[in-house]
Amino acid sequence: MKYWRDWERMQEELPGMQVQYFNTMLRFSHDYLELPPYYERKACLTSAFLEEIDGKAYDVTLRFIGVRSLKLDMHFEYLGDIEISPEEIEDLHFYVHDYEHGGISFYCEEIAYIGAKENVEENLQLALSRWKQLVQPDEDALGNAFRDLAVFANRPMVADLLRKSVTHENAMIRRLGYQYMAENRK
């Protein structure tokens, strides 16, 4: 995109990410940057969004440059359902707003992709929720849930859950539990 810095890098690092809608804004900070070519001071808002892509959670950081008409509801505890839409008004190119609750809205000149990193705590919660949802599991779903949990085996809660799986009433869970124990013997 023309006014989205590092668009190609973002598409390469996070294939399949939907860039028009973001579910949760985790945090944001406001600053003024002196940017080329004329080194004029521009208001910037740097935000981290929680995004789930292919079953993994990431913190995606974007910087909104040349922010104008910022409206923020300070009494609202959750900023989610953020929409970024192209808007051509003089030198403004994007309109960003919380389309569900109206917690935040602003216009900006351009957007810069800063980076993304895996959100380990959120991935642990996703792995635990997938494990709990397995009522009548098929072997593939069970194997995937087991692999997801094994990543967090250094956590006492998860290690205990995996150890207890060898006494589970489901034969597939017992077999995978024994397999896990054999692979992770120290």
Side-chain angles (χ1 to χ4, degrees), residues 3-184:
Y3 296 102
W4 196 308
R5 295 180 187 178
D6 292 324
W7 171 265
E8 293 82 18
R9 182 172 65 101
M10 183 177 67
Q11 295 298 308
E12 190 176 293
E13 290 178 8
L14 302 167
M17 184 177 92
Q18 185 183 26
V19 294
Q20 186 176 5
Y21 297 101
F22 290 89
N23 293 331
T24 305
M25 183 184 285
L26 296 174
R27 59 193 167 276
F28 64 90
S29 63
H30 182 271
D31 202 358
Y32 286 92
L33 299 177
E34 292 185 10
L35 300 168
Y38 305 112
Y39 293 95
E40 60 184 299
R41 288 174 47 94
K42 292 190 178 190
C44 296
L45 186 70
T46 304
S47 300
F49 296 94
L50 178 64
E51 286 300 309
E52 186 179 336
I53 304 166
D54 297 330
K56 286 199 168 198
Y58 295 91
D59 290 345
V60 179
T61 306
L62 299 177
R63 178 171 291 139
F64 301 95
I65 301 167
V67 173
R68 299 211 189 109
S69 301
L70 173 64
K71 294 178 185 171
L72 178 64
D73 183 355
M74 295 299 287
H75 298 301
F76 202 75
E77 61 190 56
Y78 172 76
L79 292 175
D81 303 320
I82 306 296
E83 180 181 17
I84 300 174
S85 50
E87 188 76 41
E88 294 295 329
I89 304 173
E90 295 179 11
D91 60 343
L92 299 175
H93 301 287
F94 296 99
Y95 177 61
V96 181
H97 66 111
D98 178 350
Y99 64 90
E100 281 289 320
H101 311 289
I104 191 169
S105 67
F106 58 90
Y107 293 91
C108 67
E109 294 175 17
E110 57 185 312
I111 300 171
Y113 169 69
I114 304 300
K117 67 178 190 171
E118 190 174 335
N119 187 321
V120 176
E121 293 303 317
E122 192 66 29
N123 282 332
L124 172 60
Q125 294 304 318
L126 287 169
L128 287 171
S129 70
R130 282 192 288 267
W131 178 263
K132 290 176 185 174
Q133 290 173 357
L134 294 173
V135 178
Q136 295 293 330
D138 63 14
E139 193 164 347
D140 290 337
L142 188 57
N144 290 337
F146 225 90
R147 275 189 295 282
D148 289 347
L149 276 177
V151 171
F152 301 101
N154 60 342
R155 306 275 177 110
M157 173 183 66
V158 175
D160 188 49
L161 179 68
L162 292 171
R163 271 194 299 277
K164 288 180 181 177
S165 65
V166 297
T167 60
H168 199 275
E169 69 253 5
N170 186 316
M172 285 189 295
I173 293 175
R174 280 196 310 271
R175 184 176 55 76
L176 286 168
Y178 281 119
Q179 181 181 343
Y180 164 76
M181 298 297 273
E183 291 173 358
N184 294 297

